[in-house]
Amino acid sequence: MKMKLSTFTLIAAAAFSLAACKQQAETSVPAEATQETASATTENSVQTLTSNDGKINILIQNGNFEDISHDPATLPDGITEEELTLLQHDAGRNISIYIANLGTPKTDAKNYFGNLKTTLESTSGLTEVQTGAATDTRMNYRFAQNDSEGNLLRENCISIYETNLYNVCASSTSASQEELAGVLKEVNLVK
């Protein structure tokens, strides 16, 4: 898997500069019922991903994400190791998630989110661009672009404006925007 996100990185930079242990007991329950229960437990599991700086948690239903930050080929273009605080991939879903800490804001939230929206809408090479309504601290957005291998890469992101600016993004060359939004359903800032 190769994830190169140079267009996104340029957008973020432009906006930034502008602004369990398992036990089995013996029972008389048939083996099929035990297997169904184990399957249901797996299907209802919650995986918690936490950024390296401890500032952001992502709770994901039925996730199987693994750290891939050690592989230089998977690092997003233009994001330094210091900015990258999480990089995980779920091979079964072919979805990658990353969190970038972009540092202290240089403008207020309204201007930052306005500049981000304008930049997304005016950047050539992006398709399927959608931006959500900005709150005082967050704005959701999504887009698609061709990756370095010519595949359509969909990205779904949350820009968080707090003491620092954070971008939390899920991307995939095969998952739908709805699937990407689903893995970012519970993104929490740890205070």
Side-chain angles (χ1 to χ4, degrees):
M1 183 210 71
K2 201 162 193 136
M3 183 173 72
K4 296 296 177 182
L5 307 172
S6 58
T7 302
F8 167 74
T9 304
L10 291 173
I11 291 168
F16 180 67
S17 67
L18 295 169
C21 182
K22 186 176 178 183
Q23 297 179 354
Q24 285 190 345
E26 285 189 45
T27 66
S28 60
V29 177
E32 297 84 28
T34 305
Q35 289 173 344
E36 288 174 16
T37 303
S39 178
T41 302
T42 301
E43 290 174 11
N44 294 320
S45 67
V46 176
Q47 183 178 17
T48 302
L49 304 179
T50 303
S51 61
N52 292 342
D53 60 5
K55 299 292 185 182
I56 297 179
N57 285 336
I58 305 171
L59 304 177
I60 301 170
Q61 294 290 326
N62 308 316
N64 192 22
F65 285 86
E66 296 179 359
D67 181 40
I68 59 168
S69 61
H70 58 279
D71 182 357
T74 62
L75 297 176
D77 283 343
I79 294 180
T80 67
E81 285 186 41
E82 292 79 28
E83 291 171 332
L84 189 68
T85 63
L86 181 134
L87 182 57
Q88 301 262 335
H89 183 72
D90 184 328
R93 295 189 207 185
N94 187 33
I95 296 175
S96 295
I97 294 177
Y98 76 89
I99 300 173
N101 178 343
L102 301 176
T104 307
K106 295 186 166 110
T107 185
D108 62 57
K110 183 177 179 181
N111 284 324
Y112 175 76
F113 292 134
N115 290 336
L116 179 59
K117 181 177 180 176
T118 300
T119 303
L120 282 163
E121 292 171 347
S122 64
T123 300
S124 64
L126 297 184
T127 60
E128 303 175 23
V129 175
Q130 292 180 346
T131 57
T135 67
D136 291 339
T137 59
R138 291 184 183 210
M139 186 176 87
N140 295 353
Y141 60 95
R142 60 174 64 170
F143 60 90
Q145 65 179 330
N146 288 327
D147 67 10
S148 60
E149 298 169 357
N151 301 308
L152 186 64
L153 179 70
R154 288 183 178 85
E155 297 191 46
N156 197 300
C157 300
I158 301 169
S159 182
I160 300 172
Y161 186 102
E162 285 289 335
T163 307
N164 284 0
L165 295 169
Y166 297 93
N167 277 330
V168 181
C169 295
S171 63
S172 177
T173 55
S174 59
S176 69
Q177 285 290 7
E178 290 70 29
E179 290 172 289
L180 297 176
V183 298
L184 297 182
K185 187 175 180 181
E186 284 195 59
V187 174
N188 304 301
L189 191 66
V190 179
K191 294 189 177 193

